[in-house]
Amino acid sequence: MKRAIALIVLALSACEQPAAPGRGNIYSYADTLGGAPQIFHWPETTLPVRYYAAAEGALPEISQRGLEMWQDQFLYGEFRATLWSDSNTADVILRFSGGPPPPADPDTSMIVAACQGVTTPLIDPNTSTLERPMRVTLSWFTGNAPEAIAACLERVVAHELGHTLGLFNAAHAGTNATDLMAGPPRVYAPSDRDRSTVEVLYHTPPTIRPPR
Ligand SMILES: [Zn+2]
């Protein structure tokens, strides 16, 4: 019996995450299943993590930019990733549901809920092992300017990649609108709090084993 944590950016939601004043410089990174915190990060032995980004529109380029941003959050290479051409041996797979949007340059001034992402880590509850691959599914909504869709995908892919690093909190608890891991994201790059949180996560003993 497989259990999934569904990490969903409901880009259609107009709700803002409440700010968490005075709670220090990090937010909650773990989710909880059956009362147990699900703490995961990619260990040294699995680096570089292999990301397959389907050759759909700009997805490989957007993914590459997002991965480089996340790698840059670490001083000592605690997380490293590479785009991987073989989906059968990839750790993470990114795809569109329903095909890529019309090509356009992102207009980053347009903060429009024009797309959505879902990241699904599957954890075997008997062995507390993450299954491979972790899947990121992206979709976009017609009726929006192509430049707004492209900008939304820049934000949402970067956000979903954050989940794939081990930021599994599906409720984005403790984030605020300045954080890339807020849901939905309104910024294009990790904040200082995103950086602090992911650094703490990568120096916290995991409870979930890696898939290889
Ligand atoms: Zn999310």
Side-chain angles (χ1 to χ4, degrees):
M1 178 77 176
K2 310 279 168 51
R3 300 180 73 183
I5 312 172
L7 303 171
I8 302 171
V9 179
L10 290 172
L12 288 171
S13 167
C15 309
E16 295 273 348
Q17 290 289 319
R23 294 295 180 85
N25 205 31
I26 71 168
Y27 48 76
S28 175
Y29 47 78
D31 215 331
T32 301
L33 272 184
Q38 310 287 296
I39 301 172
F40 174 78
H41 59 77
W42 297 97
E44 173 72 32
T45 51
T46 61
L47 304 183
V49 183
R50 302 163 177 177
Y51 284 77
Y52 172 85
E56 300 177 304
L59 187 56
E61 292 79 9
I62 300 171
S63 302
Q64 179 71 39
R65 283 195 287 277
L67 290 171
E68 287 175 3
M69 281 197 300
W70 281 110
Q71 287 181 152
D72 287 347
Q73 305 309 306
F74 295 92
L75 280 176
Y76 304 110
E78 293 96 323
F79 172 79
R80 298 190 307 281
T82 188
L83 284 189
W84 194 255
S85 60
D86 180 3
S87 60
N88 292 316
T89 55
D91 299 311
V92 181
I93 292 179
L94 296 99
R95 291 188 187 283
F96 278 108
S97 165
D105 289 332
D107 180 343
T108 56
S109 71
M110 302 178 83
I111 308 296
V112 180
C115 71
Q116 176 176 290
V118 178
T119 299
T120 312
L122 294 172
I123 295 164
D124 183 328
N126 297 316
T127 61
S128 293
T129 302
L130 180 68
E131 301 210 342
R132 193 171 67 161
M134 199 181 328
R135 294 186 183 275
V136 178
T137 304
L138 301 154
S139 53
W140 53 279
F141 307 126
T142 54
N144 294 284
E147 294 78 11
I149 296 170
C152 181
L153 286 169
E154 294 283 340
R155 297 189 302 273
V156 165
V157 169
H159 172 105
E160 297 303 323
L161 290 173
H163 283 312
T164 71
L165 265 69
L167 296 170
F168 282 177
N169 194 301
H172 314 108
T175 60
N176 65 45
T178 68
D179 299 322
L180 180 56
M181 293 314 294
R186 305 180 67 81
V187 298
Y188 291 86
S191 65
D192 288 347
R193 280 155 44 86
D194 290 310
R195 175 192 293 253
S196 300
T197 303
V198 81
E199 285 185 348
V200 167
L201 171 59
Y202 272 70
H203 292 274
T204 299
T207 62
I208 304 299
R209 294 187 178 86
R212 64 176 167 94

